[in-house]
Amino acid sequence: MFVVLIRTVVLYLFIIVGIRLLGKHQIGQLEPSELVLTLIIADLASVPMQDNGIPLLAGLIPIVVLLAMSSTLSVLCIKSLRFRALLCGKPSIVVENGKVLQDQLARSRLTIDELLEELRIQGYTDLRAVKFALLETNGQLSVLPYASEKPATAAQVGAATQEAGLPVVLVSDGRLLEHNLKGLGYEGIWLEKQLASHGLASHRQAFLLTVDETGATYCIPKKGAAK
């Protein structure tokens, strides 16, 4: 039983490291080739986990080969546009100028109900508001509305804006991240004042506290913390 546990842990950690080495693109978005890779790796790993008679290397070596092949294919996709189109396919325009392209919809094996559902998810209930809708190679739908349907930006209305930058977490679930606090040049007295402005006596009462480049803080008190 202990051997099975060890083999399972080794295979699990090995696959995680391998997938991480492929990059975040493989984790966040699955192309057809990446989906096939995931399914095959899952099948290869399950056999050595269950059967102690199969050497562990019999499961590790094929996984290494597949990960190496995937990395090679990724490089080829970057180097060659033709190879990329052959392996990953091309986006399909399914809506153009507010009209559904039925031929493209059928070729993509996407029903009108599925198209309308995807449009609703992205906040579009009227096809006439959509300039283009493209079915991407990873199966996601990209919607480009008419310019008149886009929300006005601050630049368009002439409003003055200030870049807040990327917020930095100072307190996470009641724990003070001192390296972030010192890295920004703030001290404990400043933190106490910020917590007091949000009605908190201690950082332990804060579920989340962040600060942006302008010095503005955002705080979520812990449930039940005094305000």
Side-chain angles (χ1 to χ4, degrees), residues 94-95 100 105 109-127 130 133-135 139-143:
V94 293
V95 177
V100 176
L105 205 65
R109 290 169 176 75
L110 186 70
T111 67
I112 186 63
D113 293 332
E114 291 171 332
L115 174 63
L116 295 175
E117 178 183 355
E118 290 294 330
L119 290 173
R120 288 194 299 271
I121 289 174
Q122 299 199 35
Y124 298 96
T125 57
D126 189 351
L127 279 168
V130 179
L134 298 89
L135 185 64
Q140 294 183 340
L141 189 71
S142 298
V143 182

Side-chain angles (χ1 to χ4, degrees), residues 153-219:
T153 64
Q156 290 172 333
V157 300
T161 58
Q162 184 178 8
E163 294 293 340
L166 183 66
V168 177
V169 178
L170 299 180
V171 178
S172 176
D173 198 8
R175 293 186 294 271
L176 174 62
L177 305 182
E178 294 187 7
H179 58 284
N180 286 350
L181 184 67
K182 294 179 180 179
L184 294 173
Y186 294 122
E187 298 179 352
I189 296 177
W190 175 88
L191 178 63
E192 291 175 2
K193 291 181 179 179
Q194 298 302 317
L195 290 168
S197 68
H198 293 287
L200 303 179
S202 168
H203 65 266
R204 294 182 180 85
Q205 295 179 320
F207 182 73
L208 176 68
L209 177 67
T210 65
V211 60
D212 59 28
E213 292 180 0
T214 66
T217 57
Y218 173 75
C219 181

Side-chain angles (χ1 to χ4, degrees), residues 1-219:
M1 191 66 181
F2 182 73
V3 175
V4 175
L5 176 62
I6 295 299
R7 288 163 67 94
T8 301
V9 171
V10 169
L11 284 166
Y12 177 71
L13 295 177
F14 183 79
I15 292 173
I16 289 180
V17 172
I19 296 297
R20 288 287 296 170
L21 290 176
L22 292 180
K24 293 184 178 180
H25 173 73
Q26 274 74 12
I27 298 173
Q29 300 173 339
L30 289 179
E31 299 286 352
S33 59
E34 298 161 359
L35 178 59
V36 171
L37 172 69
T38 304
L39 294 175
I40 294 177
I41 286 180
D43 187 57
L44 287 172
S46 64
V47 177
M49 285 182 185
Q50 300 173 7
D51 191 347
N52 291 339
I54 299 177
L56 192 58
L57 286 177
L60 295 178
I61 292 176
I63 293 175
V64 170
V65 173
L66 287 173
L67 293 175
M69 287 180 60
S70 179
S71 298
T72 302
L73 292 176
S74 297
V75 173
L76 290 175
C77 286
I78 295 174
K79 299 293 185 181
S80 173
L81 292 176
R82 291 185 178 180
F83 186 80
R84 186 189 312 167
L86 177 65
L87 184 66
C88 302
K90 296 181 179 180
S92 301
I93 300 176
V94 293
V95 177
E96 184 176 8
N97 297 324
K99 297 181 179 179
V100 176
L101 303 183
Q102 298 182 35
D103 292 341
Q104 289 292 339
L105 205 65
R107 189 175 293 112
S108 302
R109 290 169 176 75
L110 186 70
T111 67
I112 186 63
D113 293 332
E114 291 171 332
L115 174 63
L116 295 175
E117 178 183 355
E118 290 294 330
L119 290 173
R120 288 194 299 271
I121 289 174
Q122 299 199 35
Y124 298 96
T125 57
D126 189 351
L127 279 168
R128 293 171 295 184
V130 179
K131 176 69 174 177
F132 291 105
L134 298 89
L135 185 64
E136 306 292 354
T137 56
N138 61 4
Q140 294 183 340
L141 189 71
S142 298
V143 182
L144 306 176
Y146 281 97
S148 59
E149 299 293 334
K150 294 181 180 179
T153 64
Q156 290 172 333
V157 300
T161 58
Q162 184 178 8
E163 294 293 340
L166 183 66
V168 177
V169 178
L170 299 180
V171 178
S172 176
D173 198 8
R175 293 186 294 271
L176 174 62
L177 305 182
E178 294 187 7
H179 58 284
N180 286 350
L181 184 67
K182 294 179 180 179
L184 294 173
Y186 294 122
E187 298 179 352
I189 296 177
W190 175 88
L191 178 63
E192 291 175 2
K193 291 181 179 179
Q194 298 302 317
L195 290 168
S197 68
H198 293 287
L200 303 179
S202 168
H203 65 266
R204 294 182 180 85
Q205 295 179 320
F207 182 73
L208 176 68
L209 177 67
T210 65
V211 60
D212 59 28
E213 292 180 0
T214 66
T217 57
Y218 173 75
C219 181

